[in-house]
Amino acid sequence: MTDTSTIFALSSAPGRAGLAVIRVSGPAVRAALEKMIAPVPKPRAAAFRTIRDPLTGEALDRALVLWFMAPASETGEDVAEFQTHGSPAVIKAMLAALGKLEGCRLAEPGEFARRGFENGKIDLAEVEGLADLVEAETEAQRRQALAQSSGKLSELYEGWRARLIEIAALIEAAIDFSDEADVASSSLSEARTRAQGLAAEIAAHLNDGHRGEIVRDGFRVALLGAPNAGKSSLLNALARRDAAIVSAEAGTTRDVIEVRLDLAGLPVVISDTAGIREAMSEVEREGIRRSLAAARDANLILWLSEGGDSNLPDGISRETSLAMRSKADLARESTANVLAVSALTGEGLDGLVREIAKRAAEAVGTRTGPVLTQARHRQSLEAALAEIEAFLEGPADAVELRAEEIRRAAHAIGRITGRVDVEDVLDQIFGRFCIGK
């Protein structure tokens, strides 16, 4: 790290609260404590102190103060934590006082976590898990993010990388002892055997139905149907609020409107879409295009019609679709094997919620263990698998080329945890955090 400044920020949520947490990290932490409180508490022990303005000596608050000496801290630097009263006035005064200290400045988004990464306290996969944990809205997201931030996913990937390094060592032995045919042949054969087993494990990890990404991003449900089929009313009923405009005028919905729900601990994203019909204008044509795009990206399509019509538009998969009869409060004959719902009376809504939750649970599965959660991870693993397969399929006499393929595979996996050069992804990852993390 080249930045030697000391950073500070509010780490708790902004606004009025019983308590606020303000964190400071960097080389000037001890000096800041000496100027703002007296005496400085023992490291890793909470102390109740009067906090004073470093220039005027005015009392700002009475609060708990903790001090963590480097390197035994979250960032690997000296860290102080002020647990003050959570009024906006106290927070403002504390931040202003810290800003008066030489070498201290407000932190950038994710800068505390980034310093922890750069000081070897956390790897990139754990950082991403921590960011997901901060943003978790459902129980499934919390469990998955906590497992990743605790290092379970990193342990799996680092284990694979270590095995690739062992395979690379066997190939190097085959190169070094190329004049001894039996040794070279035996080393290369062992390398291929190990690579085959590893390739099978990575392929199985990739072939997971994107369940980790579904937990992280949400099980996507698209409401499709003709204009005035009741899509917007159903969205509002599921969301229990007026998320979409409802009107008797056909074609009211022009854009895709999304609502996030927590169903049985799983995140579900419901999308209301424009009615599917022969477009009357350029704007409506664009709305229908977006509707069909939402349908293609959805894990489940709910096709609504007043009569329970199950004839889907071209390009819509029946395997991921569920035909429904909307406006069930209106008198009409029932349709077999079609779920009937009424946004007005609530008829069928509980059954629909159970069906969506069941399908979301099936998509996520029950398998335990680390799962893929990021497109970045998937791309790196696909690249690593391609290199291992190239090694297995390539001619054995070009040993130097086979060694390069294994080296590239290890490099690809190393990029997931940050064990190799990853400068191009750092800003994107740490920029997801709030200021005080």
Side-chain angles (χ1 to χ4, degrees):
M1 266 177 42
T2 57
D3 188 353
T4 59
S5 59
T6 296
I7 58 174
F8 63 89
L10 174 68
S11 291
S12 52
R16 192 183 307 277
L19 291 174
V21 177
I22 296 171
R23 302 169 67 208
V24 190
S25 178
V29 164
R30 176 62 191 253
L33 291 175
E34 290 174 345
K35 293 179 180 179
M36 296 182 69
I37 63 173
V40 175
K42 294 180 180 179
R44 311 187 75 80
F48 191 65
R49 295 285 189 270
T50 297
I51 306 173
R52 300 185 180 277
D53 186 288
L55 299 185
T56 67
E58 177 190 359
L60 303 178
D61 194 15
R62 288 173 59 77
L64 281 179
V65 181
L66 296 96
W67 176 37
F68 304 89
M69 289 184 64
S73 73
E74 184 180 1
T75 64
E77 305 175 321
D78 282 353
V79 172
E81 187 174 288
F82 299 92
Q83 298 182 8
T84 69
H85 292 94
S87 72
V90 170
I91 295 169
K92 182 179 179 180
M94 285 292 300
L95 297 179
L98 288 166
K100 296 175 183 178
L101 294 167
E102 184 177 356
C104 292
R105 63 170 176 82
L106 276 169
E108 298 292 333
E111 193 167 4
F112 285 91
R114 182 160 186 163
R115 290 193 177 195
F117 165 73
E118 292 175 335
N119 287 321
K121 293 294 180 177
I122 189 171
D123 66 38
L124 280 187
E126 292 169 338
V127 167
E128 289 168 317
L130 183 60
D132 288 345
L133 187 59
V134 171
E135 297 173 359
E137 298 176 333
T138 69
E139 183 65 14
Q141 289 176 324
R142 180 196 64 79
R143 288 197 300 266
Q144 178 172 285
L146 183 61
Q148 183 172 334
S149 65
S150 300
K152 291 184 179 180
L153 195 62
S154 299
E155 183 179 349
L156 174 65
Y157 294 159
E158 282 300 299
W160 286 347
R161 181 170 172 268
R163 288 163 64 182
L164 283 168
I165 292 173
E166 292 173 357
I167 292 170
L170 288 169
I171 300 172
E172 290 298 330
I175 295 173
D176 292 342
F177 295 96
S178 57
D179 54 340
E180 299 181 31
D182 56 337
V183 175
S185 177
S186 175
S187 295
L188 195 56
S189 176
E190 176 66 16
R192 286 184 177 275
T193 299
R194 294 192 185 188
Q196 286 171 346
L198 181 55
E201 290 182 35
I202 295 176
H205 187 67
L206 286 167
N207 188 26
D208 65 347
H210 296 264
R211 64 192 186 95
E213 290 146 292
I214 290 174
V215 169
R216 180 176 179 270
D217 299 326
F219 181 80
R220 305 195 71 84
V221 179
L223 304 180
L224 256 69
N228 274 350
K231 300 183 296 299
S232 297
S233 296
L234 180 59
L235 178 77
N236 292 344
L238 291 171
R240 298 184 180 181
R241 62 183 176 87
D242 291 334
I245 297 174
V246 176
S247 171
E249 180 183 342
T252 301
T253 302
R254 296 297 181 90
D255 208 346
V256 177
I257 300 172
E258 293 187 345
V259 170
R260 300 186 68 88
L261 304 178
D262 181 346
L263 299 185
L266 294 171
V268 175
V269 182
I270 311 286
S271 300
D272 181 23
T273 66
I276 306 297
R277 67 175 181 180
E278 192 69 33
M280 305 295 291
S281 66
E282 187 63 33
V283 173
E284 187 176 6
R285 188 175 296 110
E286 174 62 19
I288 294 172
R289 186 195 68 78
R290 295 187 183 190
S291 297
L292 295 176
R296 286 191 293 270
D297 293 338
N299 304 107
L300 173 64
I301 297 168
L302 301 182
W303 177 256
L304 276 70
S305 64
E306 293 186 38
D309 182 14
S310 59
N311 294 322
L312 302 177
D314 293 338
I316 302 300
S317 171
R318 290 187 175 276
E319 294 180 1
T320 58
S321 301
L322 176 64
M324 297 174 52
R325 180 163 65 87
S326 59
K327 305 180 182 180
D329 53 288
L330 301 179
R332 62 170 58 84
E333 296 180 1
S334 62
T335 305
N337 301 321
V338 175
L339 180 63
V341 296
S342 169
L344 181 63
T345 67
E347 177 187 343
L349 287 182
D350 289 343
L352 175 59
V353 168
R354 286 194 296 271
E355 180 65 22
I356 295 173
K358 185 189 80 169
R359 297 204 181 202
E362 290 172 351
V364 170
T366 58
R367 190 177 67 183
T368 59
V371 295
L372 271 166
T373 63
Q374 304 274 345
R376 184 180 73 86
H377 300 178
R378 186 174 294 277
Q379 291 167 359
S380 292
L381 289 174
E382 288 173 345
L385 181 59
E387 295 292 351
I388 296 172
E389 290 174 343
F391 163 74
L392 292 170
E393 296 167 2
D397 54 352
V399 185
E400 290 82 1
L401 294 180
R402 306 290 77 78
E404 175 62 16
E405 287 157 353
I406 294 300
R407 186 197 69 79
R408 289 201 295 260
H411 183 90
I413 292 181
R415 286 175 62 85
I416 298 176
T417 59
R419 300 303 182 191
V420 296
D421 177 39
V422 287
E423 283 298 322
D424 54 333
V425 299
L426 289 183
D427 289 339
Q428 179 182 355
I429 291 174
F430 290 104
R432 293 178 53 205
F433 285 92
C434 56
I435 297 293
K437 194 62 184 172

